[in-house]
Amino acid sequence: MWCSRMALRRLQRIAAAAAAAPPPTGGLTSITRREMSTLQRVYVTRQIPPEGLRILRESGQVQLDLWDSDDVPVPREELLRQVRGVDGLVCVLTEKIDTELLDAAGPNLKVLSTMSVGFDHLSLEELKKRGIRVGYTPDVLTDSVAELTVALLLTTSRRLIEATHEAKTGGWGTWRTLWLCGHELANSTVGILGLGRIGVAIAERLAPFKVKKFIYADVAPRPELASVIDAEYVSFDELAERSDFLAVCCALTPETKEICNKHLFSKMKNTSIFINTSRGGVVNQEDLYEALSTGQIAGAGLDVTVPEPLPTDHPLFTLKNCVILPHIASASHTTRNAMSAMAANNLLLGLRGEPMIKELHS
């Protein structure tokens, strides 16, 4: 497992080595030694964490423009205007990279680097058609996502949000035998939908809670990863039927879109807890609301929704047995800086025609 702190240090070394290395023929050592017009133009669609911006600014390789806000995404019209003629683009998951944007950018665009592990916001087929290389940032967020998933699971299963509300609003009266009782992990079966590094990291953190069994479903068995946590490969239906806790860790693809729907929830136990920290689009939220409101399942914890942000009047917010977070699974200072550093290094390496740290090959 690639710890995000170790990853960040490695990415810093990569950037330092690139900056110190002799430039290629006709290359640049610093902005001051060449006219700005000779630098490759890069647009960054968000005020990404400081480590990534530092790497880009100190590289001496690019002329950098960015949407200087972390609170408000760049308006679409502004984005389409800013990308004209750029050589490289650094984006986050709020920006839809589609035909319209790529047409606006024009033929100079050679490298796209997204500060995300997910890539459902990218038109990969269109990028491939145009020969644009794509970097992304997996692995470095494994630890933080796994930690948040465990926190969300425990918060949901032990009804901590409900309990906090009762304590604050006067609902805490005399001690009662079954009041706010939840579901514990000891002797339970934990199911994982989509077993990758994050799924393994979640299971490793849950194992000390005396979980009896780990099971998983995926497009095919993953014996190497499964052996790390002694997990059993099962069918999709069996995963639903046997899981006391079901954690969704799969990517959003055409095959997984709304895969968690009425069919899945109808097969789950009425004591089961459903957790999603992957992508909101893998869940049919109307079916989830029905399952939660009728007691078909015991509870759900969501870090991702459709849309994001979820409107405050959405029916899921009315349910006491549904905990909703604002997509914060990777939100630790270490991880977000490591993600921005990898995104920056991916971009610079790609612009130099060198292998990226992590590149998408469709």
Side-chain angles (χ1 to χ4, degrees):
M1 203 60 62
W2 196 13
C3 168
S4 53
R5 289 185 188 279
M6 293 172 62
L8 180 55
R9 287 196 291 269
R10 182 186 172 221
L11 292 165
Q12 289 167 335
R13 290 197 297 271
I14 290 171
T25 302
L28 304 168
T29 56
S30 72
I31 292 176
T32 57
R33 295 187 187 179
R34 288 283 186 138
E35 295 296 325
M36 292 291 285
S37 60
T38 67
L39 296 172
Q40 297 181 89
R41 285 188 56 221
V42 168
Y43 187 68
V44 182
T45 69
R46 188 67 69 91
Q47 187 188 72
I48 61 174
E51 189 60 30
L53 288 177
R54 183 190 66 78
I55 289 169
L56 291 172
R57 285 171 172 151
E58 295 180 4
S59 69
Q61 184 181 337
V62 298
Q63 176 186 341
L64 183 66
D65 291 305
L66 79 156
W67 177 252
D68 198 11
S69 173
D70 190 32
D71 297 322
V72 181
V74 57
R76 182 70 175 182
E77 288 304 312
E78 173 72 4
L79 177 60
L80 293 175
R81 187 177 68 83
Q82 290 288 352
V83 298
R84 290 174 191 162
V86 297
D87 300 285
L89 183 63
V90 177
C91 72
V92 296
L93 52 80
T94 54
E95 275 68 70
K96 188 170 182 61
I97 309 301
D98 56 10
T99 301
E100 180 188 36
L101 184 139
L102 296 174
D103 284 344
N108 282 356
L109 183 59
K110 298 182 279 294
V111 180
L112 170 75
S113 181
T114 180
M115 190 184 127
S116 66
V117 62
F119 42 85
D120 47 283
H121 58 302
L122 309 180
S123 297
L124 294 180
E125 186 176 338
E126 193 65 28
L127 287 159
K128 181 180 180 182
K129 186 193 304 182
R130 297 169 190 245
I132 298 170
R133 296 176 64 186
V134 179
Y136 70 134
T137 60
D139 304 344
V140 292
L141 47 64
T142 297
D143 290 337
S144 61
V145 174
E147 288 177 8
L148 189 281
T149 304
V150 172
L152 182 56
L153 185 153
L154 290 169
T155 297
T156 305
S157 64
R158 296 305 301 270
R159 302 171 65 179
L160 300 187
I161 303 300
E162 286 182 77
T164 300
H165 177 76
E166 293 295 323
K168 284 182 177 180
T169 59
W172 184 4
T174 185
W175 186 86
R176 284 165 272 177
T177 58
L178 290 175
W179 186 53
L180 289 173
C181 282
H183 302 276
E184 60 188 62
L185 278 159
N187 299 309
S188 69
T189 296
V190 173
I192 299 170
L193 179 58
L195 186 66
R197 292 184 182 87
I198 291 174
V200 169
I202 291 167
E204 288 175 329
R205 286 157 173 78
L206 291 177
F209 286 87
K210 300 181 180 178
V211 170
K212 179 176 66 178
K213 182 71 177 176
F214 289 106
I215 59 177
Y216 75 101
D218 212 320
V219 292
R222 308 288 298 274
E224 187 174 333
L225 286 171
S227 65
V228 176
I229 55 173
D230 192 24
E232 176 188 352
Y233 179 71
V234 298
S235 68
F236 183 72
D237 285 354
E238 192 175 353
L239 183 79
E241 292 163 0
R242 290 175 57 186
S243 295
D244 297 301
F245 300 87
L246 178 53
V248 181
C249 303
C250 60
L252 176 59
T253 65
E255 292 72 33
T256 62
K257 183 175 172 59
E258 296 193 355
I259 194 173
C260 300
N261 54 28
K262 186 176 296 186
H263 175 82
L264 175 82
F265 301 131
S266 68
K267 294 184 177 297
M268 292 176 68
K269 306 172 187 178
N270 61 11
T271 55
S272 293
I273 302 295
F274 176 82
I275 303 294
N276 184 20
T277 53
S278 59
R279 282 290 185 267
V282 304
V283 178
N284 182 307
Q285 291 176 171
E286 289 73 24
D287 290 353
L288 176 61
Y289 174 82
E290 183 72 15
L292 290 167
S293 61
T294 61
Q296 195 167 60
I297 63 175
L302 311 174
D303 183 50
V304 286
T305 60
V306 176
E308 292 182 357
L310 193 65
T312 56
D313 61 352
H314 194 281
L316 284 172
F317 279 123
T318 68
L319 302 175
K320 291 183 177 180
N321 58 344
C322 186
V323 177
I324 300 174
L325 303 179
H327 202 150
I328 58 168
S330 65
S332 75
H333 291 291
T334 301
T335 290
R336 290 286 173 85
N337 268 295
M339 290 172 70
S340 72
M342 181 179 282
N345 281 314
N346 279 339
L347 180 89
L348 296 173
L349 289 165
L351 288 173
R352 293 199 295 268
E354 299 174 14
M356 294 182 185
I357 301 166
K358 289 292 179 179
E359 183 169 0
L360 273 170
H361 300 282
S362 55

